[in-house]
Amino acid sequence: MFKYILIENIYNLKEKVKKLIFIIFCTLLFANSIFAERRIVEFWNLMGEKKYDEVEIFLGNWEQESKKDAELYVAYFNFYLQKAIQNQMTFETELPPDCKNYMKGQNENGEEGYMCFITKYDDEMSNKAFEYIDKGISYNPKRLDMYFGKAHFYYLRKDYKNQCEVLKKVFDLDKKNKSKWLWANNTSAKEAGVDFEKNMHGYIGKWLKEKSEDSINYAKELSVEFVKYYSKNPVAYNDAAICCIYSNDLKAAKEYLKSAYELDKSDMIILANLAYISEDLGETEDAKKYYKLLEQSTDEQYSSMAKRKLESLQ
């Protein structure tokens, strides 16, 4: 079992209900005007009714009236994303590693197996979605939701390379913008409750959960950027350490964890990871030192675990 901990509880990252259209772009809070809100409502009503021909006409008229409207390009993006979706169902006698949604069953020959439900994305429609979100970003370069939406769509397409490039660019822009981003309907991202660092942490965690060589490599690449731009955030160092552990670079992982611990000596997750990795490296005295500190934790789970570890290391 993988024992190291990716500080998810700090941010209370909850899996949201998955929908075919990004709900992140659906919010009608903080609408700039009744007119703008009416457009958004009408767009989603037409999408909900799958009146795609009418949607296309509606978006064309909207573009003529307000060419640089950020919500217009969010709508275009969602429109082409929806059109890109291709749901497929296959029967397999062995469960494919990339099949996450499945049910056991039999085929027409009575063979036992798995009904796999896979979502793929048409390249032509996907390219149109990216084309419009890029156009929207060119008019509205501080709209963080657009960058995150673009990055998430790359994730859905398992195009981790381009996803990583988008997020690295966002890190760079975050520094230039001094973290002054906008969100849906041009509301301040801060006022909308969006935490930049939490989101970056979340992307790294999702890649690690994929457990593929590519996803781990890109998680590691982004974690380096996280540490670079947020050098006072202990979570960034813990993320970088976990990425190094996944790629079997334990010595580098320990250095990241030591830096994280210096930033926050009260964090039991970081302390536990330091103890684990010292033990795995065969550095018994260091492991004992960290387990003794962990033993003093007011959290019974960590305290009890540390006691057991210290007994086994005698």
Side-chain angles (χ1 to χ4, degrees), residues 10-115:
I10 285 181
Y11 289 147
N12 195 25
L13 297 176
K14 295 181 179 180
E15 286 296 320
K16 297 180 179 180
V17 177
K18 292 183 179 178
K19 295 187 177 181
L20 295 178
I21 304 175
F22 295 147
I23 197 165
I24 196 172
F25 293 132
C26 294
T27 179
L28 298 177
L29 297 175
F30 311 110
N32 292 327
S33 67
I34 295 175
F35 186 56
E37 184 174 329
R38 181 185 61 77
R39 278 176 169 162
I40 297 168
V41 169
E42 187 172 350
F43 168 74
W44 287 111
N45 284 342
L46 290 171
M47 289 293 288
E49 295 170 6
K50 298 184 178 181
K51 295 180 178 179
Y52 298 138
D53 289 341
E54 291 184 35
V55 171
E56 204 156 8
I57 294 169
F58 174 78
L59 290 174
N61 292 335
W62 187 353
E63 187 171 5
Q64 287 183 350
E65 295 170 10
S66 189
K67 185 179 180 181
K68 297 183 180 181
D69 188 345
E71 311 318 317
L72 165 68
Y73 294 99
V74 167
Y76 262 127
F77 178 67
N78 281 283
F79 172 62
Y80 284 109
L81 186 156
Q82 175 65 28
K83 293 192 73 174
I85 292 170
Q86 297 176 328
N87 292 314
Q88 301 176 2
M89 182 175 67
T90 62
F91 180 85
E92 306 289 344
T93 54
E94 298 291 334
L95 184 62
D98 62 341
C99 180
K100 297 179 180 179
N101 298 311
Y102 64 89
M103 60 184 295
K104 293 183 178 180
Q106 295 181 336
N107 63 11
E108 62 273 14
N109 298 322
E111 294 178 299
E112 297 285 341
Y114 302 88
M115 297 296 297

Side-chain angles (χ1 to χ4, degrees), residues 67-311:
K67 185 179 180 181
K68 297 183 180 181
D69 188 345
E71 311 318 317
L72 165 68
Y73 294 99
V74 167
Y76 262 127
F77 178 67
N78 281 283
F79 172 62
Y80 284 109
L81 186 156
Q82 175 65 28
K83 293 192 73 174
I85 292 170
Q86 297 176 328
N87 292 314
Q88 301 176 2
M89 182 175 67
T90 62
F91 180 85
E92 306 289 344
T93 54
E94 298 291 334
L95 184 62
D98 62 341
C99 180
K100 297 179 180 179
N101 298 311
Y102 64 89
M103 60 184 295
K104 293 183 178 180
Q106 295 181 336
N107 63 11
E108 62 273 14
N109 298 322
E111 294 178 299
E112 297 285 341
Y114 302 88
M115 297 296 297
C116 292
F117 305 94
I118 300 172
T119 299
K120 294 190 175 182
Y121 300 88
D122 177 77
D123 288 339
E124 183 181 356
M125 293 296 102
S126 295
N127 288 337
K128 293 289 285 185
F130 288 125
E131 175 188 333
Y132 275 102
I133 204 66
D134 283 341
K135 191 173 181 180
I137 287 171
S138 72
Y139 291 133
N140 305 271
K142 291 189 176 182
R143 280 292 294 264
L144 184 59
D145 57 330
M146 290 183 168
Y147 291 101
F148 280 168
K150 180 180 178 180
H152 187 61
F153 192 26
Y154 277 130
Y155 173 77
L156 292 176
R157 287 174 54 83
K158 299 189 183 298
D159 186 349
Y160 303 139
K161 179 179 179 180
N162 277 317
Q163 182 189 8
C164 189
E165 289 304 312
V166 171
L167 295 173
K168 284 166 65 177
K169 181 178 181 180
V170 170
F171 264 126
D172 186 52
L173 290 171
D174 183 63
K175 182 178 180 180
K176 293 176 181 176
N177 293 342
K178 298 181 180 179
S179 299
K180 293 179 180 178
W181 292 100
L182 298 176
W183 199 248
N185 297 302
N186 290 325
T187 305
S188 161
K190 185 176 181 179
E191 290 178 10
V194 179
D195 190 309
F196 184 89
E197 294 166 70
K198 290 179 186 178
N199 276 279
M200 289 301 186
H201 167 76
Y203 283 117
I204 292 167
K206 283 183 178 181
W207 273 330
L208 290 179
K209 285 179 181 178
E210 293 292 327
K211 296 182 181 179
S212 70
E213 184 177 352
D214 277 352
S215 67
I216 291 169
N217 286 339
Y218 288 118
K220 188 173 183 179
E221 189 174 333
L222 193 66
S223 72
V224 171
E225 298 293 299
F226 197 3
V227 168
K228 173 183 173 182
Y229 287 101
Y230 284 89
S231 59
K232 295 184 179 181
N233 186 340
V235 175
Y237 290 91
N238 191 77
D239 284 358
I242 299 299
C243 292
C244 288
I245 291 165
Y246 268 92
S247 56
N248 204 32
D249 189 355
L250 299 188
K251 288 189 177 295
K254 185 175 181 181
E255 291 305 310
Y256 278 123
L257 287 169
K258 285 166 67 176
S259 296
Y261 183 64
E262 287 303 312
L263 289 168
D264 187 358
K265 294 186 178 181
S266 68
D267 193 307
M268 294 298 101
I269 290 175
I270 292 169
L271 186 56
N273 283 343
L274 255 177
Y276 289 145
I277 205 162
S278 297
E279 184 180 359
D280 285 349
L281 283 167
E283 298 172 357
T284 307
E285 292 307 309
D286 268 2
K288 287 181 179 179
K289 178 179 73 174
Y290 294 125
Y291 281 130
K292 284 178 182 177
L293 290 170
L294 199 61
E295 187 181 21
Q296 299 170 26
S297 173
T298 56
D299 188 317
E300 181 62 27
Q301 180 182 358
Y302 288 113
S303 178
S304 298
M305 180 273 290
K307 288 177 184 177
R308 292 193 301 270
K309 284 289 188 178
L310 285 167
E311 289 173 2

